Amino acid sequence: MAPAALVSNPANGSLTKQSIVKKDTTTTNTETRAETPLQAICYGAFLAGIPSHPTFAAHRLWALSHMTALFRHWARHGYNEGLSGHISLRDPEYPSLFWMNPLAVHFGLLRASDMVLLSDEPDEASPTHGTILAGNRLQRPANKAGWAIHSAVHRQRRDVNAACHAHTRYGKVWAAMGGRRLEMVDQDVCNFYGEALAVYENYGGVVLGSALGEGQAIAEALGEKGKGMVLANHGLLTVGATVDEAGFLFGLLERSCAVQVELEKAGGGKRAIGDKEAEFNFKMASTPETLYWEFQPEYDYEVAMSHDNFIDVTEEDLRIRI
């Protein structure tokens, strides 16, 4: 079954008592209690925050399960493109290490035990550089280009615990249209308002060999506040405090590119949302808690459809020592 947490999201597709919090009714008529953006959208009770965990192993199991569910979700949406596409997840116990999918395994077949643990260490003389440190049931290599991008992102942004990158249809179309930012034409795209969306314009080729430095350049272009990025002539990248947040944002960015492409094809006038309204939408919808919950319906669906078969490890399996 899906791993539990101290305050858990529903793992079996049904709402549990643990996933809701009663509203505080102790305030008087003359005082108001500040609500988080997630609480503000809740009517009658509050959704709980991001789960906490009693041990690193429990946290690792929970996070890897959600990471694997995200790959199943990607498979349903056709985000596969040969050897391309990767999701990374910072290890909760060893913050300079991260988990990533192995090379040449279909997203729809991945299991938690297949993920490979890598170091973000760029120094080739380091004993952890170029080594798979744990996981890897299938004994496959990691994607070196993926490592170059994700390791740089995790080094550059210590607030980021997960990153997603793939070569999706509409992401590639929009990335080929002059490296432009998305316009705030609907409520959902406002999650990428302002500095939350970056554009990397200097395509330098496949991130291998002499182009390995491209990974660091991409990470720097993301900026300190970037949640998503359009990589010119390449694809899309998103990040988050949880793999759920990064995963939801990736799908949203792909769909937002699709909306923009369709608008461009339609021609005629476009009505953009004003800066004041777009900024308000961003503040109310783009917190880590809210974006974590945005993915939970998809997680529950993948658990129900797969009967948990992608969760094939236990906490004991994940008590690692480096």
Side-chain angles (χ1 to χ4, degrees), residues 213-232:
E214 183 87 344
Q216 184 60 37
I218 289 170
E220 291 174 2
L222 181 62
E224 295 181 359
K225 298 181 180 180
K227 290 176 175 286
M229 182 157 55
V230 177
L231 285 68

Side-chain angles (χ1 to χ4, degrees), residues 6-316:
L6 292 185
V7 181
S8 65
N9 62 294
N12 59 2
S14 61
L15 189 63
T16 67
K17 291 182 179 179
Q18 289 179 313
S19 66
I20 60 174
V21 178
K22 290 183 178 180
K23 286 193 174 184
D24 182 2
T25 58
T26 60
T27 55
T28 69
N29 292 333
T30 58
E31 64 179 341
T32 58
R33 189 170 63 84
E35 293 180 338
T36 67
L38 176 63
Q39 291 171 342
I41 202 173
C42 298
Y43 184 84
F46 293 144
L47 290 172
I50 298 170
S52 58
H53 308 272
T55 65
F56 287 123
H59 190 170
R60 191 175 288 124
L61 175 59
W62 173 81
L64 284 172
S65 300
H66 283 241
M67 177 183 183
T68 313
L70 178 55
F71 275 116
R72 299 294 181 98
H73 175 70
W74 275 20
R76 292 185 192 278
H77 288 269
Y79 291 174
N80 298 76
E81 189 72 67
L83 301 180
S84 301
H86 10 84
I87 299 170
S88 62
L89 172 68
R90 191 187 300 277
D91 188 80
E93 185 173 6
Y94 302 100
S96 64
L97 307 182
F98 64 92
W99 298 86
M100 198 168 75
N101 50 305
L103 192 63
V105 182
H106 193 281
F107 297 159
L109 298 177
L110 282 165
R111 299 187 177 205
S113 62
D114 298 329
M115 304 306 169
V116 297
L117 183 62
L118 310 172
S119 171
D120 68 13
E121 174 57 62
D123 184 359
E124 294 185 5
S126 169
T128 60
H129 179 86
T131 301
I132 293 176
L133 303 169
N136 201 17
R137 176 182 67 91
L138 296 174
Q139 297 298 299
R140 295 286 178 88
N143 185 317
K144 191 170 185 179
W147 172 86
I149 295 170
H150 289 257
S151 64
V153 169
H154 284 286
R155 288 193 307 270
Q156 188 77 18
R157 289 280 300 275
R158 291 300 180 184
D159 61 311
V160 164
N161 289 322
C164 300
H165 170 60
H167 304 170
T168 50
R169 178 182 180 181
Y170 286 102
K172 289 192 292 185
V173 172
W174 188 250
M177 296 177 68
R180 296 158 53 195
R181 296 176 56 80
L182 292 171
E183 298 174 70
M184 300 296 107
V185 294
D186 63 65
Q187 179 171 299
D188 299 313
V189 75
C190 292
N191 276 289
F192 298 108
Y193 176 75
E195 294 177 276
L197 182 65
V199 176
Y200 181 65
E201 300 178 359
N202 303 317
Y203 177 69
V206 178
V207 189
L208 293 172
S210 61
L212 274 175
E214 183 87 344
Q216 184 60 37
I218 289 170
E220 291 174 2
L222 181 62
E224 295 181 359
K225 298 181 180 180
K227 290 176 175 286
M229 182 157 55
V230 177
L231 285 68
N233 305 108
H234 189 170
L236 304 177
L237 182 143
T238 58
V239 299
T242 61
V243 71
D244 309 74
E245 176 183 357
F248 173 75
L249 286 174
F250 189 90
L252 176 59
L253 188 53
E254 167 69 3
R255 293 188 296 274
S256 297
C257 288
V259 168
Q260 192 82 56
V261 168
E262 293 298 325
L263 281 171
E264 298 279 326
K265 287 166 55 179
K270 286 179 288 187
R271 178 178 176 176
I273 295 174
D275 283 337
K276 181 180 178 180
E277 292 78 13
E279 183 178 10
F280 175 77
N281 290 349
F282 175 78
K283 289 180 178 179
M284 293 303 295
S286 66
T287 66
E289 281 187 338
T290 302
L291 293 172
Y292 161 79
W293 270 102
E294 291 276 19
F295 183 70
Q296 297 322 295
E298 305 297 342
Y299 176 79
D300 293 340
Y301 182 81
E302 294 303 334
V303 169
M305 292 298 100
S306 68
H307 306 289
D308 285 6
N309 73 358
F310 58 82
I311 306 170
D312 62 340
V313 289
T314 65
E315 286 186 33
E316 193 58 38

